[in-house]
Amino acid sequence: MKRRDFLKVSAAGAAATAAVASPAIAQSTPEVKWRLASSFPKSLDTIYGGGEYLAKQVAEMTDNKFQIQVFAAGELVPGLQALDATSNGTVEMSHTVSYYYVGKDPTFAVFASVPFGLNARQQNSWLYQGGGNELANEFFKKYNVVGVPCGNTGTQMGGWFRKEIKTVADLQGLKFRIGGIAGQVLQKLGVVPQQLAGGDIYPSLEKGTIDAAEWVGPYDDEKLGFQKVAQYYYYPGFWEGGPTVHAFINQDKFNALPKNYQSILTNAAANTNSWMAARYDMQNPAALKKLVAGGVQLRPFNNEVLEACLKATNELWAEISAKNADFKKAIEAMQAYRSDEYLWWQVAEYTFDSFMIRSRTRG
């Protein structure tokens, strides 16, 4: 073939390829604009910031073709209605914690955190590698949403109290802001649980509408100012060993996305999951030092309280499981995974951590 003819053929071939490729590329990167309803106030830059971090990643990975606008709790819908807004299509997605919705079904709690459940690493292991995500989305489908892990706070604190909790009897009649299914556990011990969104906790504690409150941990709690209205700070938050914050996506909207956008969104959520946990681990030590230096009384829940709460927890699981097949399936799967995880933990992780904690001040 002569060089001139070859160039003509090559040019024609390139033009044909471009004609085929251009529409395909255009179809795979459409302009998409979504709204995300957060359950958290803007002042909490880490837990609320997870939604912003997710949106930023998605925009960057699509050259701003896929944009997600984040709205704080109360801007579009109240914080505890974020899932409902996603389910009914008011917004395309939300950033929230599934145990907020135990009023609909207690099964929601299992995929976030339950009392005496999994720590953060174990929770991620179960969801990502142990079948937890598949089990979760089998359940979430009933509410027309897809759920993906999109944050974790690590083990939380046990909360702020106006008086010391020395015995189980001290819990009797206590009006305690506590989210999710943990409130039902503590109710068995005489606590009067109150579920309030993050931004409503301080004024309720200040006015005496509630006697105690838990939120996340030192960094967020100090920002919210709980140390100004309650003296005793308890640990651990045994009801939240490693709570998952979910991104919930409307099922129809997710299915309508191009496959590459679905992958970008789920991978951005996984990055956010790691980002949030790492950020809290960085922020909490300094915040705890500041709180204690300011006069906060740090206290552990004693063994009597923990044992009574564990007993109440196991009783509640049996009661719910007897009448809710979805909950029974989910809680038994989590418990089986927990058993194996703590078998491993006591061999390596716990032994190492215990030694390092004891030797921390020796340099």
Side-chain angles (χ1 to χ4, degrees):
M1 184 184 292
K2 292 180 181 178
R3 183 173 179 275
R4 187 181 304 153
D5 293 337
F6 174 77
L7 291 173
K8 287 180 181 177
V9 172
S10 298
T17 302
V20 173
S22 294
I25 293 170
Q27 288 170 12
S28 66
T29 57
E31 297 275 354
V32 175
K33 291 188 177 182
W34 278 13
R35 299 191 301 173
L36 179 154
S38 174
S39 282
F40 315 110
K42 287 182 179 178
S43 59
L44 301 180
D45 60 285
T46 302
I47 198 163
Y48 169 80
E52 293 187 319
Y53 186 72
L54 170 77
K56 181 174 182 288
Q57 291 179 89
V58 169
E60 288 177 352
M61 287 190 276
T62 61
D63 289 329
N64 283 319
K65 294 288 182 66
F66 188 177
Q67 296 181 13
I68 300 170
Q69 187 176 3
V70 181
F71 293 88
E75 289 186 336
L76 290 180
V77 295
L80 300 182
Q81 292 177 24
L83 174 71
D84 306 76
T86 309
S87 178
N88 64 31
T90 300
V91 295
E92 289 80 9
M93 66 184 300
S94 53
H95 192 227
T96 186
V97 186
S98 62
Y99 59 46
Y100 288 159
Y101 309 100
V102 295
K104 300 178 184 298
D105 191 312
T107 310
F108 273 107
V110 183
F111 304 113
S113 187
V114 293
F116 303 103
L118 301 167
N119 68 26
R121 267 185 55 192
Q122 293 165 355
Q123 180 82 351
N124 283 332
S125 177
W126 180 50
L127 292 174
Y128 287 128
Q129 300 294 330
N133 267 342
E134 291 77 8
L135 194 60
N137 278 305
E138 181 184 323
F139 171 72
F140 295 151
K141 191 186 301 181
K142 297 181 178 183
Y143 295 86
N144 195 37
V145 295
V146 176
V148 290
C150 193
N152 198 301
T153 66
T155 303
Q156 296 191 0
M157 291 293 283
W160 297 85
F161 296 77
R162 295 181 184 279
K163 65 175 186 179
E164 289 188 81
I165 305 299
K166 295 179 179 178
T167 69
V168 175
D170 291 328
L171 296 171
Q172 192 70 37
L174 193 78
K175 290 177 289 185
F176 186 22
R177 183 278 171 194
I178 184 164
I181 208 163
Q184 295 178 41
V185 169
L186 290 170
Q187 198 167 15
K188 285 179 166 289
L189 301 174
V191 168
V192 183
Q194 312 283 315
Q195 181 147 304
L196 300 171
D200 299 328
I201 301 172
Y202 181 90
S204 298
L205 197 57
E206 184 181 35
K207 293 172 186 174
T209 309
I210 56 175
D211 305 308
E214 60 80 39
W215 177 242
V216 173
Y219 181 73
D220 279 0
D221 292 0
E222 194 269 338
K223 270 180 165 291
L224 291 172
F226 299 145
Q227 71 278 9
K228 299 172 186 175
V229 288
Q231 180 181 8
Y232 298 101
Y233 197 22
Y234 273 84
Y235 65 91
F238 55 82
W239 47 86
E240 291 177 288
T244 296
V245 182
H246 270 88
F248 283 117
I249 310 154
N250 179 277
Q251 181 84 60
D252 300 327
K253 294 294 184 180
F254 184 76
N255 291 342
L257 286 176
K259 293 295 182 185
N260 64 322
Y261 277 21
Q262 291 180 356
S263 181
I264 285 168
L265 186 57
T266 54
N267 277 282
N271 288 342
T272 304
N273 197 40
S274 298
W275 174 87
M276 187 183 292
R279 191 164 174 82
Y280 273 123
D281 281 346
M282 177 271 291
Q283 293 166 325
N284 280 328
L288 184 60
K289 289 178 184 178
K290 183 178 177 182
L291 287 168
V292 172
V296 166
Q297 301 296 304
L298 200 58
R299 297 282 190 274
F301 287 123
N302 63 34
N303 206 54
E304 177 197 338
V305 170
L306 291 175
E307 289 288 354
C309 289
L310 177 59
K311 181 175 182 291
T313 296
N314 291 332
E315 289 172 358
L316 183 64
W317 294 172
E319 292 165 9
I320 299 174
S321 293
K323 55 191 178 186
N324 187 320
D326 286 332
F327 181 87
K328 185 174 189 293
K329 183 177 181 180
I331 201 73
E332 287 180 352
M334 185 281 292
Q335 288 173 319
Y337 207 80
R338 180 187 64 185
S339 179
D340 283 344
E341 287 296 294
Y342 274 110
L343 173 65
W344 162 238
W345 236 253
Q346 74 182 61
V347 171
E349 301 286 345
Y350 176 75
T351 309
F352 177 71
D353 287 346
S354 295
F355 177 79
M356 292 307 296
I357 288 167
R358 291 194 303 271
S359 64
R360 181 176 67 89
T361 57
R362 299 207 305 261

